[in-house]
């Protein structure tokens, strides 16, 4: 198992007895343009003390989270950090990384290469398989839904509207016909601000769509969060698709930028809000930018970069502990890095901004963490394809895996007509505005374009009401299947009162893992994926037993078993 990381904290020592104390040096002068800093309070220190220290040092607090002790401050780029680092109550202070990038520059390091792999050649239109009896019209294409036995589970437990599921992502299209019936607009929040360009004039999110540069809480400019939300809880309403838990409530707790980046302050704010708002389950299909691995003291990083990563680990650990303590079950994607999480590859992708700062780093497993999945209390989910094979892109390993779930696998079924077809992916809700921007939906007629048809984009209408759907793959698509099952577990076994529902997150985990379908390692245990066109870095070896192994964890989530046999796993 990964060793617990001990965060180094510099503490000023007392003067030696009999030796006169040196006079404090004059504080450094402040100069330069105004930039952004992350400031983290010491454990147990009132955040007001640190806010005062920020002002004394010449800065202005622009955002803050009292539960975690994380502040965002604006101050001159020279002198401020030196002044503040010696202040009482301050654990870490570091300049926030410059975040500008162009779409082309971002594409080399984001997840689109995995999740939209089929965009390179397309797998053709959906085949339009008939839906199982009692399911929604497009559910025949949702092999993941039947793989986790949602079709059976909903006959006894379709989910309870009082169960609130937070989607911590790029946003949720609350107007989508399959999302709207279950969307809780009153609890939904957007913790981000659109950032058109950075301080150097480089594009971040592009032009703001709404006044004030804050999207409404029912909006998604990326499409990722809406796809996730649809898999969790698209309504079973005889229209389009349905989700794993089709009657629970969806709450948008947005922390992702339009560009797809997830920055520390919004993520921390969303997690603590989830606890304060009484959410029951939260899905997290991302890692906190800009570092894939947050290392304590990697020699390839500058001291400032090391501090940035320590702030991320400490603040995220506090936020995850806070949410767990408030009764939130947290489900996280294991990652698309096709690596054993206990023996990570070298990192050539971090930091993923600013442009040109990525550098080679040898990753020490004992002192580097991917957040949030390697933080406390998270349920890590790997991905498999329609054949049941671990998806080539999916990370794996005994160290952080909990369960597995359908994530799509474009290259599944090598040697058959099903190889590299869209039906191997996961179909879910697609915001119209994103489809228009991506050229898959005609902005005037609303028709699916030829490009959209090639990528499997589909349109469903009932009278004047229309919804769109797209195929994606990734562990980001696997975790919402597990989140949906977790929501059904809370619906079935939670304690309902006038104030809502409660269930210990550790009990939810026990039921989820205990009722998962046990999948053994493949034979042979080492899979090289060379037939599928992958290089040696994708080669994976499955360790462990049928009961628990590195490819499938405790097994693949099973909604039917969870709601009918889960009571035996409760304390």
């Amino acid at each position: 198992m990964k060793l617990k990381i001990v965060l180094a904290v510099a503490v000023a020592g007392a003067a030696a007895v009999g030796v006169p104390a040196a006079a404090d040096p004059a504080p450094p002068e402040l100069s330069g343009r105004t930039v952004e800093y992350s400031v983290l309070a010491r454990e147990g220190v009132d955040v007001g003390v640190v806010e005062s220290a920020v002002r004394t040092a010449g800065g202005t607090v622009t955002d803050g989270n009292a539960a975690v002790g994380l502040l965002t401050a604006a101050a001159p780029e020279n002198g401020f950090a030196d002044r503040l680092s010696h202040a009482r109550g301050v654990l870490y202070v570091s300049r926030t990384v410059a975040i500008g990038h162009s779409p082309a520059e971002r594409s080399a390091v984001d997840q689109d290469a995995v999740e939209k792999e089929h965009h390179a050649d397309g797998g053709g239109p959906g085949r339009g398989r008939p839906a199982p009896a009692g399911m929604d019209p497009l559910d025949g294409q949702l092999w993941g839904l039947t793989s986790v036995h949602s079709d059976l589970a909903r006959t006894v437990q379709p989910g309870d509207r009082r169960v609130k599921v937070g989607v911590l992502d790029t946003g949720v299209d609350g107007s989508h016909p399959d999302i709207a019936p279950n969307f809780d607009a009153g609890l939904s929040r957007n913790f981000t601000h659109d950032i058109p360009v950075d301080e150097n004039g480089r594009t971040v999110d592009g032009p703001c769509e709404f006044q004030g540069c804050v999207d409404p809480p029912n909006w998604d400019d990326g499409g990722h969060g809406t796809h996730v939300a649809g898999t969790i809880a698209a309504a079973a309403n005889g229209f389009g698709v349905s989700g794993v838990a089709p009657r629970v409530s969806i709450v948008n707790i947005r922390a992702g930028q339009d560009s797809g980046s997830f920055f520390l302050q919004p993520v921390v704010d969303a997690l603590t809000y989830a606890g304060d708002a009484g959410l029951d389950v939260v899905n997290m299909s991302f890692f906190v930018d800009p570092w894939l691995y947050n290392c304590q003291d990697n020699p390839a990083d500058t001291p400032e970069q090391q501090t940035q990563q320590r702030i991320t680990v400490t603040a995220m650990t506090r936020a995850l502990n806070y949410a767990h303590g408030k009764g939130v079950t947290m489900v996280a994607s294991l990652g698309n890095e096709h690596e054993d999480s206990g023996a990570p590859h070298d990192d050539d992708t971090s930091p993923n901004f600013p442009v040109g700062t990525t550098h080679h780093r040898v990753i020490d497993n004992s002192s580097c963490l991917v957040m949030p999945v390697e933080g406390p209390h998270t349920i890590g989910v790997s991905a498999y394809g329609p054949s049941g094979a671990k998806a080539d892109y999916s990370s794996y390993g005994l160290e952080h895996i909990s369960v597995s779930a359908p994530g799509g696998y474009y290259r599944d079924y090598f040697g058959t007509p099903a190889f590299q077809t869209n039906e191997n992916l996961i179909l879910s809700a697609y915001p119209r505005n994103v489809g228009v921007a991506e050229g898959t939906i005609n902005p005037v007629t609303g028709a699916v374009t030829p490009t959209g048809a090639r990528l499997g984009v589909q349109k469903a209408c009932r009278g004047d009401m229309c919804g769109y759907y797209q195929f994606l793959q990734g562990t980001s698509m696997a975790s919402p299947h597990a989140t949906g099952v977790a929501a059904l577990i809370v619906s079935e076994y939670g304690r309902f009162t006038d104030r809502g529902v409660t269930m210990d997150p550790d009990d939810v985990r026990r039921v989820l893992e205990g009722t998962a379908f046990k999948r053994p390692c493949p034979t042979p245990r080492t899979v090289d994926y060379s037939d599928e066109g992958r290089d040696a870095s994708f080669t994976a070896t499955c360790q462990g037993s049928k009961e628990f192994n590195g490819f499938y964890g405790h097994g693949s989530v099973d909604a039917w078993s969870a709601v009918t046999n889960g009571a035996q796993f409760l304390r």
Side-chain angles (χ1 to χ4, degrees):
M1 295 295 290
K2 183 166 293 183
L3 301 177
K4 181 180 179 181
I5 292 175
V6 179
L7 299 175
V9 180
V11 180
V17 176
V19 178
D24 290 338
E29 292 294 326
L30 300 179
S31 63
R33 60 186 174 173
T34 299
V35 297
E36 191 173 83
Y37 292 86
S38 292
V39 184
L40 190 64
R42 292 182 184 274
E43 189 75 43
V45 172
D46 187 282
V47 73
V49 173
V50 180
E51 289 177 348
S52 178
V54 167
R55 291 191 293 270
T56 300
T60 302
V61 175
T62 60
D63 200 353
N65 188 298
V68 171
L70 178 67
L71 301 177
T72 300
E77 61 181 334
N78 299 317
F80 174 75
D82 288 339
R83 286 187 175 191
L84 189 60
S85 62
H86 301 291
R88 182 172 68 90
V90 173
L91 178 61
Y92 296 122
V93 55
S94 174
R95 183 174 166 183
T96 304
V97 179
I99 54 180
H101 58 268
S102 71
E105 290 161 341
R106 178 72 177 173
S107 66
V109 296
D110 69 13
Q111 296 299 309
D112 277 0
V114 171
E115 295 179 352
K116 298 179 179 179
E117 181 187 353
H118 63 304
H119 284 213
D121 54 12
R127 293 192 181 124
R129 296 184 181 90
M135 304 290 280
D136 283 0
L138 298 181
D139 284 352
Q141 299 177 57
L142 273 60
W143 59 269
L145 207 61
T146 51
S147 177
V148 304
H149 285 149
S150 170
D151 55 330
L152 300 180
R154 67 184 59 186
T155 63
V156 297
Q157 180 53 269
D160 190 294
R161 187 172 298 278
R162 291 169 291 179
V163 173
K164 310 293 186 182
V165 180
V167 178
L168 204 170
D169 214 291
T170 61
V172 175
D173 178 7
S175 68
H176 190 287
D178 264 321
I179 303 295
N182 292 334
F183 187 71
D184 190 326
L187 283 180
S188 292
R189 299 287 187 274
N190 175 14
F191 294 96
T192 70
H193 289 81
D194 283 355
I195 307 170
V197 297
D198 73 356
E199 59 200 36
N200 296 312
R202 294 173 299 201
T203 300
V204 181
D205 295 321
C208 298
E209 297 88 357
F210 297 91
Q211 290 184 339
C213 288
V214 176
D215 296 341
N218 65 346
W219 187 261
D220 180 10
D221 268 321
H224 192 273
T226 299
H227 195 281
V228 165
T231 296
I232 296 169
N237 55 0
F239 179 92
V241 301
S242 62
V244 174
R247 289 189 186 172
V248 302
S249 294
I250 298 168
V251 181
N252 176 24
I253 49 173
R254 175 177 169 180
Q257 301 294 136
D258 289 349
S259 60
S261 295
F262 287 77
F263 301 131
L264 180 61
Q265 185 79 55
V267 171
V268 164
D269 290 347
L271 279 170
T272 57
Y273 173 78
D276 293 338
L279 304 192
D280 301 292
V281 188
V282 167
N283 186 87
M284 301 181 292
S285 295
F286 64 91
F287 69 87
V288 179
D289 290 296
W291 301 92
L292 174 57
Y293 306 92
N294 293 276
C295 302
Q296 296 303 299
D297 54 4
N298 194 295
D301 299 331
T302 67
E304 184 177 45
Q305 290 173 335
Q306 292 172 358
T307 301
Q308 291 164 0
Q309 294 165 78
R310 291 171 186 165
I311 290 174
T312 296
V313 170
T314 309
M316 284 297 297
T317 297
R318 292 179 185 177
L320 293 167
N321 283 332
Y322 184 88
H324 178 266
K326 293 280 190 174
V328 182
T329 297
M330 294 171 289
V331 183
S333 57
L334 199 57
N336 298 338
E337 283 68 46
H338 58 272
E339 66 182 6
D340 184 336
S341 59
H345 299 156
D346 291 355
D347 181 19
D348 292 304
T349 67
S350 301
N352 57 20
F353 41 72
V355 175
T357 62
T358 58
H359 50 272
H360 180 78
R361 302 193 302 163
V362 176
I363 300 303
D364 172 42
N365 187 50
S366 67
S367 61
C368 299
L369 294 175
V370 179
M371 299 301 275
V373 69
E374 295 187 0
H377 310 301
T378 58
I379 296 171
V381 186
S382 69
Y384 63 82
S387 73
K390 183 191 82 69
D392 55 357
Y393 57 80
S394 179
S395 293
Y396 58 98
L398 298 172
E399 192 165 285
H400 292 291
I401 194 171
S402 173
V403 290
S404 57
Y409 180 14
Y410 189 54
R411 304 188 189 206
D412 208 351
Y413 295 120
F414 174 78
T416 76
F419 178 65
Q420 293 186 322
T421 56
N422 290 333
E423 285 74 18
N424 292 342
L425 311 178
I426 303 298
L427 185 68
S428 189
Y430 188 31
R432 185 184 189 276
N433 59 294
V434 177
V436 169
E438 294 181 342
T440 61
I441 298 171
N442 186 296
V444 178
T445 67
V448 175
T449 67
T451 295
R454 178 176 62 85
L455 301 178
V457 173
Q458 296 171 53
K459 179 181 182 180
C461 294
R462 179 186 288 164
D464 293 333
M465 179 181 70
C466 294
Y468 298 88
Y469 307 86
Q470 68 167 329
F471 285 104
L472 295 175
Q473 69 173 2
T475 55
S476 287
M477 285 66 249
S479 60
H481 283 88
T483 295
V485 177
L488 292 178
I489 291 169
V490 178
S491 298
E492 181 67 19
Y493 305 109
R495 180 173 177 267
F496 289 86
T497 67
D498 292 341
R499 294 182 295 175
V501 58
T502 59
M503 185 169 178
D504 188 330
D506 295 333
D507 280 341
V508 178
R509 177 193 286 268
R510 278 187 281 271
V511 175
L512 187 71
E513 294 176 348
T515 59
F517 177 73
K518 307 306 177 187
R519 290 182 181 268
C521 288
T523 302
R525 285 175 174 257
T526 297
V527 182
D528 66 13
Y529 299 103
S530 58
D531 286 342
E532 290 79 7
R534 296 303 197 185
D535 62 35
S537 70
F538 284 78
T539 298
T541 298
C542 183
Q543 297 176 311
S545 63
K546 181 178 179 180
E547 286 68 32
F548 180 74
N549 61 68
F551 277 17
Y552 303 106
H554 291 276
S556 55
V557 295
D558 190 313
W560 169 253
S561 181
V563 299
T564 58
N565 299 316
Q568 62 184 303
F569 298 100
L570 299 174
R571 290 183 301 182

